[in-house]
Amino acid sequence: MENQWSKFRLRVNVKTDMAAAYKAWNTSEALESWFLRKAVFKDAEGNLKDKKAPIVEGDTYEWFWYGYPDSVVEKGKVLKANGKNVFSFTFSLECPVTITIYEEAGETIVELVESDLPTDTETALKYFVGDSRGWIFYMANLKSILEGGLDLRNKRMELTNVITS
């Protein structure tokens, strides 16, 4: 039996087509429109990528969030980017996060699975709970942005401990 703390799955329905949903994950510019303050990608040779360049398997990244100083940075690697419906990358503790986009009941679904999380109590509390909490907000913000809504992110450094950053 799989440990229930080793992964979590989040799904959001979005009123857009699959191509637009995938595009939201596929460039630095797109990620900065709903998720990150700054997304820096480098290709497999270590060259800085243009913000409009598609992200591909083997790229590495540095991600920065609103509400946090530049000392708070997530570094990782793109594991898969098929240009259509799957985008996967390493995240906390180099655990894989896989985004899968598909249709269900006539709607576009964006599904996020973070897996291979360590299951000891301290790690489970910090990463399972902390990461899922953050991803819930960002998936809701993705829905809001893609459906022509508001950007819900807190962009003010002086406001801390809010669920929007």
Side-chain angles (χ1 to χ4, degrees), residues 22 25-26 55-59 77-90 96-100:
Y22 184 84
W25 295 91
N26 198 37
I55 299 164
V56 298
E57 184 176 328
D59 287 352
K77 183 175 183 173
V78 177
L79 302 172
K80 185 172 185 176
N82 73 358
K84 182 181 175 189
N85 66 339
V86 177
F87 183 74
S88 182
F89 51 93
T90 60
V97 172
T98 301
I99 308 304
T100 308

Side-chain angles (χ1 to χ4, degrees), residues 91-148:
F91 197 61
S92 298
L93 303 175
E94 297 188 17
C95 296
V97 172
T98 301
I99 308 304
T100 308
I101 301 161
Y102 53 92
E103 289 188 12
E104 182 178 309
E107 295 206 32
T108 298
I109 303 294
V110 178
E111 178 180 273
L112 180 147
V113 176
E114 185 167 343
S115 58
D116 298 339
L117 290 163
T119 57
D120 62 278
T121 302
E122 183 179 335
T123 308
L125 287 172
K126 183 174 182 182
Y127 292 97
F128 182 97
V129 175
D131 285 5
S132 63
R133 181 177 155 209
W135 283 121
I136 289 167
F137 167 71
Y138 286 110
M139 295 287 279
N141 199 47
L142 173 66
K143 178 179 176 72
S144 182
I145 293 294
L146 288 177
E147 293 183 357

Side-chain angles (χ1 to χ4, degrees), residues 14-30:
V14 183
K15 291 182 173 116
T16 193
D17 59 40
M18 288 178 49
Y22 184 84
K23 186 177 179 183
W25 295 91
N26 198 37
T27 66
S28 293
E29 182 178 65

